[in-house]
Amino acid sequence: MKIFCLISLSVFTTFAAIPNKPVDKVDVSRFAGKWYSLSSIPTAFDKGTRETTTTYTLNTYGYFSVITTAKKDDNEVHTYKSKLFPDAKQNNAEMKAQFIWPFKVDYWVIDLAKDYSYVVVGHPEHKFLFIMSRKPALDKKLYDGLVAKCKAMGYPVEKLTSQHHD
């Protein structure tokens, strides 16, 4: 019985944690376009926002020009511009986001649907998390599965806030 318990405990701890790492590859042309932010662990940049969308446009310089729109408490739509730099050496799964020049932050694609219908973006130190979709909502079972996977990767998912897309 003790052996069975030890084996069970070993199997459980082996599979309970998933490494926090980027996906194997991101096709930047398929990643481009409009994404709905469904929920996030807010950063200083996006605290208090809702109905956030982000559009990534791949330009001739090899990086994305990014336009983010969101509503805040004043109910007005605010627009923010930034840049996103894919790293071809890392198969474009490890990127750098630049909100204010010259500072860049890690922006890892940690989960991605084969059909690019959803993406999960994280950080190597779990500083932020974004669950995004091409539509304003995801199937609840799929969404819950993504949250569970993020939790197993070490993200504090209890801090996730909804973007309340109608």
Side-chain angles (χ1 to χ4, degrees):
M1 184 66 172
K2 287 182 184 180
I3 293 172
F4 176 76
C5 290
L6 287 173
I7 291 171
S8 297
L9 181 61
S10 175
V11 168
F12 177 76
T13 56
T14 301
F15 294 108
I18 300 171
N20 181 33
K21 66 177 189 161
V23 296
D24 292 333
K25 183 178 181 179
V26 174
D27 179 339
V28 292
S29 63
R30 293 182 72 196
F31 186 83
K34 184 176 182 177
W35 292 94
Y36 291 84
S37 180
L38 303 180
S39 59
S40 65
I41 295 175
T43 64
F45 171 74
D46 61 349
K47 277 189 179 172
T49 61
R50 66 183 189 285
E51 299 177 45
T52 302
T53 62
T54 304
T55 303
Y56 300 88
T57 304
L58 191 59
N59 61 39
T60 57
Y61 301 107
Y63 66 85
F64 290 102
S65 298
V66 182
I67 303 289
T68 302
T69 62
K71 286 186 181 177
K72 289 207 173 200
D73 292 334
D74 60 10
N75 222 19
E76 290 186 32
V77 175
H78 296 263
T79 302
Y80 309 94
K81 293 182 181 182
S82 59
K83 296 176 182 175
L84 186 62
F85 298 88
D87 185 350
K89 293 176 187 172
Q90 302 300 327
N91 292 321
N92 301 317
E94 292 183 31
M95 303 187 204
K96 298 280 187 184
Q98 184 177 64
F99 301 100
I100 301 171
W101 184 86
F103 306 104
K104 294 179 183 174
V105 296
D106 290 313
Y107 191 94
W108 282 7
V109 175
I110 60 170
D111 202 346
L112 180 63
K114 288 182 183 179
D115 64 357
Y116 285 66
S117 60
Y118 70 81
V119 66
V120 181
V121 175
H123 185 273
E125 297 172 17
H126 305 93
K127 291 184 178 180
F128 57 78
L129 181 69
F130 299 96
I131 299 174
M132 300 186 290
S133 172
R134 295 294 188 179
K135 296 179 180 178
L138 275 179
D139 174 77
K140 181 168 176 22
K141 188 174 180 180
L142 172 60
Y143 176 83
D144 291 345
L146 292 173
V147 171
K149 183 176 180 183
C150 292
K151 182 176 184 174
M153 293 173 91
Y155 286 90
V157 297
E158 65 279 358
K159 294 181 180 180
L160 280 171
T161 60
S162 173
Q163 285 291 311
H164 303 290
H165 289 280
D166 292 329

